[in-house]
Amino acid sequence: MRVLRELIRRPSALFGLIVVVLVLLAAIFAPWIAHFSPDDQLADGLSLEGAPLPPGGGHLFGTDTLGRDLFARVLFGARTSLIIGLVANGVAVAIGLLVGLLAGYLRGAAGNLLMRFTDLMMAFPALLLAIALAALLKPSLWIVAMVIALVNWVQVARIVYTETRGLVERDFIVAERSLGAGNGRIILLHILPHLMPTAIVWGTLGIATTVLLEATLSFLGIGVQPPQPSWGNIIFESQSYFQDAPWLVFIPGAIILATALSFNLIGDALRDILDPTQRGRL
């Protein structure tokens, strides 16, 4: 509750929170909000010349190149993009937390091996690695989520490793060891709770990166495949109509931008609130 009160007190964080809640509600209640199925090619969805209809009338966001209601596709696309964002980022944070924690606590040869592997993964550009993995595997919602998770965990691992190295030298950890506490008890009861603020902050900030990466992969045609809508493949399908029907690109693009910005604003606020060194500056 303290964290929530602090978020509400910050205008930028409050704006981000409102946008995220609205997007989540729109995704959850998409079947009841949308008046059309996202896959229905409507008889009146195109003009007499076969062009998409502009926003207005019976179609709030207009229609796409196949006469499908764009508002419905954006709503259902939010489900796809957010599922991938939450699942992929959750897995990435879990992997990074595990690798960084073990490397920082074990140290020695095992810790060095884990961190050299992390450095090796960081040496590859994330987008190129994701493109390569997505091209090798058959693209689907869960495959795309796992691909994104496999390229996004390294930053979390590096941060957690640094924090864990500092924690294991603290007096309360040394005291626990002198009292005969086992490694499992020290990790679960004394180190992991100190790492949770970092995991929460990176979990929030990472959603924005994950949503953007999913949109990029879908835009390149190796993400979620049509007819299942996602914000990225909506833009991909409409890119050739950018000049004649700009709303097909601008609307989903603006929603991607607003969602990513909102998660970043919340993550920045959480970092300041949960970081003990920043509390005196609030």
Side-chain angles (χ1 to χ4, degrees):
M1 293 303 298
R2 180 187 70 83
V3 172
L4 183 59
R5 286 195 297 269
E6 293 288 351
L7 285 175
I8 294 174
R9 284 173 51 190
R10 296 164 174 257
S12 59
L14 179 60
F15 169 78
L17 199 60
I18 291 173
V19 172
V20 168
V21 169
L22 289 176
V23 172
L24 287 173
L25 291 175
I28 293 170
F29 296 105
W32 294 274
I33 298 174
H35 297 297
F36 304 96
S37 169
D39 299 326
D40 284 350
Q41 298 182 27
L42 306 173
D44 60 346
L46 297 173
S47 67
L48 295 177
E49 294 80 16
L53 298 179
H59 304 284
L60 183 62
F61 289 172
T63 60
D64 67 4
T65 57
L66 297 178
R68 297 171 298 190
D69 185 71
L70 184 59
F71 181 63
R73 291 189 63 75
V74 168
L75 286 177
F76 282 87
R79 287 184 159 192
T80 303
S81 296
L82 290 179
I83 287 174
I84 290 177
L86 294 172
V87 171
N89 196 58
V91 173
V93 170
I95 295 174
L97 191 62
L98 178 62
V99 172
L101 177 57
L102 290 177
Y105 186 80
L106 296 176
R107 294 177 289 182
N112 286 332
L113 180 63
L114 287 171
M115 292 316 298
R116 296 298 75 76
F117 176 69
T118 302
D119 292 338
L120 178 64
M121 293 295 293
M122 291 185 72
F124 289 98
L127 180 58
L128 293 180
L129 183 58
I131 290 173
L133 290 173
L136 291 174
L137 303 171
K138 184 179 180 181
S140 68
L141 188 149
W142 301 111
I143 291 295
V144 171
M146 292 303 102
V147 165
I148 294 174
L150 290 176
V151 300
N152 275 354
W153 62 269
V154 290
Q155 293 86 356
V156 181
R158 173 58 67 182
I159 296 295
V160 170
Y161 169 75
T162 303
E163 293 198 9
T164 304
R165 285 292 301 268
L167 285 170
V168 294
E169 303 295 338
R170 299 281 293 274
D171 291 341
F172 67 93
I173 299 295
V174 176
E176 282 291 322
R177 282 177 175 160
S178 66
L179 293 174
N183 292 332
R185 176 183 176 84
I186 293 174
I187 290 174
L188 293 177
L189 297 183
H190 299 286
I191 295 181
L192 190 58
H194 285 80
L195 298 175
M196 291 313 296
T198 299
I200 292 171
V201 170
W202 275 92
T204 306
L205 289 171
I207 293 175
T209 304
T210 304
V211 168
L212 290 173
L213 185 53
E214 181 279 325
T216 302
L217 292 176
S218 295
F219 175 75
L220 295 174
I222 53 176
V224 178
Q225 297 298 296
Q228 183 175 11
S230 78
W231 291 337
N233 68 26
I234 291 173
I235 298 176
F236 171 72
E237 293 174 336
S238 308
Q239 58 182 321
S240 60
Y241 281 75
F242 176 73
Q243 292 184 335
D244 297 327
W247 62 89
L248 296 178
V249 175
F250 284 142
I251 291 176
I255 293 173
I256 293 171
L257 175 63
T259 304
L261 175 63
S262 298
F263 276 113
N264 276 330
L265 291 174
I266 295 172
D268 286 340
L270 285 174
R271 180 187 58 199
D272 293 341
I273 294 169
L274 297 175
D275 185 356
T277 64
Q278 299 290 329
R279 289 177 186 169
R281 303 179 188 178
L282 297 178

